[in-house]
């Protein structure tokens, strides 16, 4: 029963902040647009406009994405080490949810339902893999290490390596998806987005 409670807590730290962040990001975007008429998201990939993403070389896009995502991963690990996993997971997921809420709301206002489909196709798959990696890192390393039972001391060291490999494999696949397919997805939807 205690195991299930720990897994539910991990799910709360992982998924609840995403939805809260998406709601807050959407509200923030609408308030800024209604009262201040600011355009906080004119970019397709954060620092690049939609058309510019199609014209930059793949290696430059890959370096940009690697720099951003590995920096976020490093920040997540630092916050985890300095504070705790729940704080790191809540902050990371709430920030992502806020960003995703801003993007979805912005694309819906600009491009209608095509913008929603684009945001789901372009941003959702790799961030889903990041979420799964964060969820399992908490489930396997934070909650397992916080349990104090005798059976836990006999865990094979190979299991740790397999779990670390799975987490890094999920992150690797997410990075490859983002680098390889985001430009192709944008190219496909560009005819609807302009």
């Amino acid at each position: 029963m205690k195991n299930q409670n720990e897994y539910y807590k991990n799910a709360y730290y992982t998924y609840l902040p995403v939805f809260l962040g998406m709601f807050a990001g959407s509200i923030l975007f609408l308030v800024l647009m209604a009262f201040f008429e600011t355009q906080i998201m004119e970019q397709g990939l954060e620092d690049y406009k939609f058309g510019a993403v199609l014209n930059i070389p793949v290696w430059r896009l890959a370096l940009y994405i690697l720099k951003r995502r590995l920096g976020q991963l490093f920040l997540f690990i630092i916050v985890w080490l300095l504070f705790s996993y729940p704080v790191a997971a809540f902050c990371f997921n709430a920030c992502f949810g806020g960003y995703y809420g801003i993007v979805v709301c912005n694309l819906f206002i600009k491009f209608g339902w095509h913008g929603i489909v684009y945001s789901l196709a372009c941003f959702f798959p790799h961030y889903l893999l990041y979420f799964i990696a964060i969820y399992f890192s908490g489930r396997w390393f934070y909650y397992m290490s916080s349990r104090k039972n005798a059976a836990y001391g006999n865990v094979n060291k190979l299991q740790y390596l397999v779990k670390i490999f799975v987490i890094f494999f999920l992150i690797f696949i997410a990075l490859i998806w983002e680098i390889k397919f985001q430009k192709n997805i944008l190219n496909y939807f560009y005819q609807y987005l302009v």
Side-chain angles (χ1 to χ4, degrees):
M1 187 69 161
K2 188 176 178 184
N3 265 352
Q4 272 189 321
N5 289 339
E6 289 174 350
Y7 295 147
Y8 288 140
K9 285 181 187 176
N10 190 19
Y12 292 139
Y13 296 134
T14 307
Y15 302 114
L16 182 64
V18 173
F19 295 114
L20 292 176
M22 285 180 68
F23 180 73
S26 300
I27 297 298
L28 175 70
F29 178 79
L30 293 174
V31 166
L32 287 176
M33 197 170 147
F35 293 112
F36 302 106
E37 297 180 6
T38 56
Q39 298 291 329
I40 45 179
M41 281 293 301
E42 284 297 324
Q43 279 73 15
L45 269 174
E46 292 152 354
D47 289 344
Y48 294 105
K49 295 191 182 296
F50 286 122
V53 174
L54 296 175
N55 296 323
I56 61 173
V58 175
W59 65 268
R60 189 169 167 196
L61 180 64
L63 287 176
Y64 171 75
I65 290 173
L66 283 173
K67 183 178 81 171
R68 298 284 292 205
R69 300 303 168 240
L70 293 179
Q72 291 168 352
L73 180 64
F74 181 70
L75 186 63
F76 173 74
I77 292 170
I78 293 297
V79 172
W80 184 351
L81 293 175
L82 292 178
F83 299 101
S84 68
Y85 169 78
V87 171
F90 191 90
C91 292
F92 181 83
N93 292 328
C95 288
F96 164 71
Y99 171 73
Y100 198 70
I102 289 171
V103 168
V104 170
C105 196
N106 181 32
L107 290 173
F108 178 70
I109 288 173
K110 284 185 178 176
F111 308 114
W113 293 107
H114 289 113
I116 295 280
V117 174
Y118 165 67
S119 67
L120 288 175
C122 196
F123 298 107
F124 187 71
H126 60 271
Y127 271 111
L128 180 64
L129 292 172
Y130 292 135
F131 283 138
I132 293 170
I134 288 173
Y135 176 78
F136 281 124
S137 67
R139 182 175 176 171
W140 289 336
F141 295 107
Y142 176 71
Y143 289 106
M144 291 295 271
S145 66
S146 65
R147 290 190 339 197
K148 307 287 187 206
N149 58 20
Y152 184 68
N154 297 326
V155 173
N156 188 350
K157 300 294 183 196
L158 184 61
Q159 289 178 340
Y160 282 119
L161 292 176
V162 169
K163 290 175 181 179
I164 289 171
F165 173 77
V166 168
I167 290 171
F168 279 108
F169 182 73
L170 287 169
I171 292 169
F172 176 75
I173 294 297
L175 285 169
I176 293 299
W177 178 275
E178 193 172 5
I179 291 167
K180 183 72 176 159
F181 296 111
Q182 199 163 25
K183 189 173 178 179
N184 295 339
I185 292 168
L186 178 58
N187 193 20
Y188 177 76
F189 281 100
Y190 191 66
Q191 57 188 326
Y192 300 110
L193 297 176
V194 288

